[in-house]
Amino acid sequence: MTRALFGRVPNFRFGTLRLRIAVLFTILFAAVMAVVMLLVSQSIERFGEKAASGNLSANAKVVDEILDLRARQMLGSADVLSRDFGFREAVATGDSATIASALRSLRSRSKSGSAFVVGLDGSLVEDGSGRYPPVDTIWGPLDDGGRKGLMRFGGEFALAAASPIEVPDTVGWLVVTQPLNAAEMDRLAKLGGVDMRARVSAQSDLPEWARGTQDGEILEGRGENDHLYHISRLPALQDGIEPRLVLEHSLGEALAQYASLRYLLAGVIAAGLALVIALGFRIASGITRPLNRLDVAVRKFARGEDATLAVEGEDEIGRLATNFNGMVKAIAEREREIIHVGLHDGLTGLPNRKLFVQQLDEALSLRKDDDRVLVAYVDLDDFKVVNDTMGHPAGDALLRETAAHLRKHLPQARIARFGGDEFAVLISHIEPHSNLTALADEIQACFERPVDLGGHQAVSSASIGIAIAPGDGEDGITLMKHADLALYRAKRDGKANHHFFEPSLDEQARRRREMELDLRLAIRDGGFELYFQPLYDLRADRLQGFEALIRWPHPTKGMISPGEFIPLAEETGLILPIGEWVLREACRIARDWPDELSVAVNISPKQFLAPGLANTIMQALSTTGLSPKRLELEITESVFIANVDKTLGTLHSLRDVGVRIALDDFGTGYSSLSYLRSFPFDKVKIDRSFVQDLAGEGNAHAVIRAITTLAEALGMDTLAEGVELPEQMEILRREGCQYIQGYLLSEPLPIARVAELFHEMAEQKKQRAIA
């Protein structure tokens, strides 16, 4: 049947490729456009409904604010009269005529609907308007302190404001009302940005489908699907009325303005469909004619024969023939590109590590006896900050710009990028008398400059490690290793500097590796101990608690200072298991102390930002049975640098379970005050540098006074650390500092010595009791 139908038109048989292509294009386009039309229509309807809902919510806020403003104005007028001496005297003496006259005057001045006085005994004196609700329905809300709200009398609602009459005790309330009839609500509705209707209704008078709505909820009327309703609660000064503000907006009117978009879209789709049909036949004809010739050529190429095609025209088929003719050439070119990609960085186009090693080996093999070869490892300073604050595109732009700048200003060097923010510089054929320091300064200067990143300025600098052949090594592996060690030393010495390799760096690296291995063994075998330094309460003149301090008694090297192994633990990530051990062990030991004593534990920035800190703390508390209020966590402001919102969320979650939070080293950072405002710390620790300066003639007194005053105003305790002299303690006591710690009281104590301290305290308490 199909062959018979299409056989009558030889050029348009459905079996031909040309017709199939044209029909397929038309069907696909029509289907896609139908789906697009449906989705866009639905999106337009949803957008219109959402916009109408948003307008209705905004207008509800406007009406609420106007009603509140009117109530406050009425309340102000009522307050003036209720505080008038003559009026209060009239109320106190029961002078109804004077009261009624004053109420009529108030009603006239405030342009209100009615005014009346309700006594404590339930009596009522009104202004003669006869507009007032039953006293027994409003006495309760007035007695509960209600000042503003709605009342209902005479079949309609009224806005009311109540002012207590005090002589000096409360003897009654002056109430002023203003009706919220249909005319008044129409005037309020016209103040909104869209056409709507407004009314006040009791909860019981609402339709059944609207009674269970949430306050401020937008809903569509049942049986009236083209209207939206916004229902919100209004305050009441009368029992049992439950007033609701009802705003009604026509959804059909809101959507009508979008109807033209549908018509325009339908017209565009129809025009596009006609164009696709016409172009489909033209494209199909252009494709099918040369395909046979191309098919023959492909089969010849598959057999390995010469299959060059004659190029006819510059359309797709002509380009296909051109591409076919250049296939062998293209394959060869792709092979060269693969080699290039394997040896170059995709972002900057610089050689990668593999090619740099080849270039270095080549430079070393060609080096003459007196020549020197320089290898520099470069690490951009604060590159992560650029990525975090300006985004990864800005970081990529900085890397590309740095690469281009190096090519331009170090033409004699070979530049490579190893990945991330690491670069390498190779300079060969350096003559013996050349000034290597000047050459290093030239490399350093290439990085120290401001860089424009799409309108934002970024200050660029770098840390550089340098190794020189043959003195620092005669092979590439040794030179690169020594340059890497020099880079590590440069980063430890601070940013924006360079460091030449020294033989001692090898020894430092060896010791660092040994210490890292020993740290891992100590973590595995429990090789750490906790010492405890007392925290003293100056005001209560008693021991307040202890700060837990980690110590490492190495089996062969003796006691290793935390200042030596903590930075390495931070760098290697070992601070996480160490910190968890300190937390658990401190809670376990503190559990057996007297209940009034707390334990403070330092939390490192890396430990704080690691996932699961809150769970770790809760497990330590639940496992040991220590009360959360006896645990105090000390953090430094550096934990806020990475993600302030996440940090504040973690701090609040810890505070919610009762754990106390202290800000350590307060006053040493430039952002401390802003963090105090962002989070209510329980305690701030004044840095020891301020305490040490108390003996001098500087401004340490004023700084400590300012800190204690600020902390007291914010409801925070203060603790001064590093107190070593009695004079320092007395100054701190005089300046309002509450807690101190330091060698004046005691050095950090091992667990056994803490137990002895408790025994001594118990004996002293017993002796005082006997005396």
Side-chain angles (χ1 to χ4, degrees), residues 456-526:
H456 298 280
Q457 288 288 328
V459 179
S460 174
S461 64
S463 302
I464 305 174
I466 302 173
I468 308 293
D472 297 335
E474 297 186 0
D475 61 273
I477 294 177
T478 302
L479 276 178
M480 293 176 69
K481 168 192 167 186
H482 288 169
D484 194 22
L485 291 174
L487 172 61
Y488 178 77
R489 176 62 179 273
K491 289 193 290 186
R492 286 189 57 188
D493 290 347
K495 301 174 183 178
N497 70 86
H498 58 266
H499 199 284
F500 286 91
F501 171 76
E502 300 169 357
S504 61
L505 295 180
D506 251 346
E507 178 62 21
Q508 293 176 10
R510 184 190 62 79
R511 290 199 302 269
R512 180 176 175 275
R513 288 192 296 270
E514 288 182 356
M515 181 174 289
E516 181 180 346
L517 292 175
D518 289 347
L519 269 177
R520 295 183 185 276
L521 291 176
I523 293 172
R524 186 194 68 183
D525 301 335

Side-chain angles (χ1 to χ4, degrees), residues 18-243:
R18 183 179 68 168
L19 184 57
R20 290 204 304 271
I21 292 175
V23 172
L24 181 60
F25 280 0
T26 303
I27 293 175
L28 288 177
F29 183 82
V32 170
M33 289 301 100
V35 173
V36 169
M37 181 67 180
L38 178 61
L39 294 178
V40 171
S41 296
Q42 292 178 349
S43 299
I44 290 174
E45 185 172 345
R46 285 196 298 270
F47 176 79
E49 184 173 348
K50 186 176 181 181
S53 299
N55 290 334
L56 202 56
S57 297
N59 289 333
K61 293 181 180 178
V62 172
V63 173
D64 284 340
E65 291 175 359
I66 292 174
L67 291 177
D68 183 68
L69 176 60
R70 289 185 178 179
R72 282 190 276 115
Q73 291 173 344
M74 295 164 57
L75 184 60
S77 300
D79 285 342
V80 171
L81 180 57
S82 68
R83 294 168 185 167
D84 182 77
F85 178 80
F87 182 77
R88 290 187 294 171
E89 183 179 11
V91 174
T93 60
D95 187 351
S96 301
T98 301
I99 296 173
S101 175
L103 291 176
R104 285 192 295 273
S105 176
L106 172 62
R107 183 185 65 184
S108 176
R109 288 197 313 273
S110 62
K111 298 180 181 180
S112 57
S114 66
F116 53 89
V117 172
V118 178
L120 286 178
D121 57 356
S123 62
L124 184 142
V125 179
E126 51 104 6
D127 59 355
S129 65
R131 299 178 59 81
Y132 56 87
V135 174
D136 59 343
T137 64
I138 64 174
W139 195 91
L142 293 176
D143 189 49
D144 290 338
R147 300 295 302 275
K148 298 180 295 184
L150 269 69
M151 295 181 177
R152 188 177 189 181
F153 49 85
E156 64 182 22
F157 285 91
L159 183 63
S163 177
I165 304 172
E166 300 171 341
V167 291
D169 295 331
T170 300
V171 297
W173 299 272
L174 170 59
V175 181
V176 181
T177 70
Q178 183 173 355
L180 294 178
N181 51 30
E184 181 65 20
M185 295 307 295
D186 286 343
R187 283 194 295 272
L188 289 177
K190 291 178 180 179
L191 296 177
V194 296
D195 184 21
M196 65 175 182
R197 290 186 292 277
R199 69 177 186 273
V200 176
S201 176
Q203 170 76 2
S204 58
D205 294 338
L206 292 175
E208 185 176 352
W209 52 266
R211 293 176 186 172
T213 58
Q214 299 291 330
D215 186 30
E217 182 177 354
I218 302 292
L219 65 157
E220 195 170 312
R222 298 181 183 176
E224 304 178 61
N225 290 334
D226 60 341
H227 285 75
L228 293 177
Y229 293 86
H230 180 282
I231 301 175
S232 57
R233 297 177 182 271
L234 291 174
L237 272 180
Q238 184 177 359
D239 290 330
I241 61 174
E242 297 184 351

Side-chain angles (χ1 to χ4, degrees), residues 381-634:
D381 296 328
D382 297 328
F383 179 73
K384 186 177 184 299
V385 175
V386 174
N387 274 339
D388 291 343
T389 58
M390 302 175 65
H392 288 280
D396 292 345
L398 176 60
L399 294 174
R400 286 192 295 267
E401 205 283 339
T402 299
H405 189 78
L406 290 173
R407 288 194 190 100
K408 179 179 179 181
H409 290 83
L410 294 176
Q412 78 279 24
R414 298 181 182 181
I415 315 298
R417 179 184 174 226
F418 285 177
D421 59 350
E422 297 181 356
F423 290 84
V425 178
L426 168 63
I427 302 178
S428 57
H429 306 298
I430 302 175
E431 297 180 355
H433 60 273
S434 298
N435 187 337
L436 295 176
T437 301
L439 185 56
D441 290 339
E442 180 183 355
I443 298 174
Q444 187 85 54
C446 290
F447 295 93
E448 296 180 354
R449 59 196 178 84
V451 180
D452 183 17
L453 301 177
H456 298 280
Q457 288 288 328
V459 179
S460 174
S461 64
S463 302
I464 305 174
I466 302 173
I468 308 293
D472 297 335
E474 297 186 0
D475 61 273
I477 294 177
T478 302
L479 276 178
M480 293 176 69
K481 168 192 167 186
H482 288 169
D484 194 22
L485 291 174
L487 172 61
Y488 178 77
R489 176 62 179 273
K491 289 193 290 186
R492 286 189 57 188
D493 290 347
K495 301 174 183 178
N497 70 86
H498 58 266
H499 199 284
F500 286 91
F501 171 76
E502 300 169 357
S504 61
L505 295 180
D506 251 346
E507 178 62 21
Q508 293 176 10
R510 184 190 62 79
R511 290 199 302 269
R512 180 176 175 275
R513 288 192 296 270
E514 288 182 356
M515 181 174 289
E516 181 180 346
L517 292 175
D518 289 347
L519 269 177
R520 295 183 185 276
L521 291 176
I523 293 172
R524 186 194 68 183
D525 301 335
F528 299 107
E529 295 180 1
L530 284 187
Y531 278 49
F532 297 89
Q533 188 169 33
L535 310 178
Y536 193 75
D537 188 338
L538 291 177
R539 298 179 184 175
D541 197 23
R542 67 173 182 85
L543 183 67
Q544 184 263 339
F546 294 88
E547 179 180 1
L549 301 171
I550 190 170
R551 294 293 184 265
W552 184 13
H554 194 279
T556 60
K557 300 175 182 177
M559 191 68 74
I560 299 180
S561 168
E564 293 185 44
F565 68 85
I566 291 297
L568 179 60
E570 287 272 6
E571 183 181 341
T572 58
L574 296 177
I575 194 66
L576 298 180
I578 292 176
E580 291 182 11
W581 177 85
V582 170
L583 185 62
R584 290 193 303 269
E585 187 70 3
C587 292
R588 183 188 66 81
I589 295 172
R591 175 192 57 194
D592 300 326
W593 295 349
D595 291 341
E596 70 273 10
L597 298 182
S598 63
V599 63
V601 179
N602 287 279
I603 302 296
S604 73
K606 183 167 290 188
Q607 183 184 3
F608 188 88
L609 296 175
L613 174 64
N615 290 335
T616 300
I617 294 173
M618 293 304 299
Q619 289 176 3
L621 292 172
S622 61
T623 301
T624 61
L626 183 70
S627 172
K629 66 180 181 181
R630 296 179 61 194
L631 175 62
E632 185 173 284
L633 303 180
E634 297 184 1

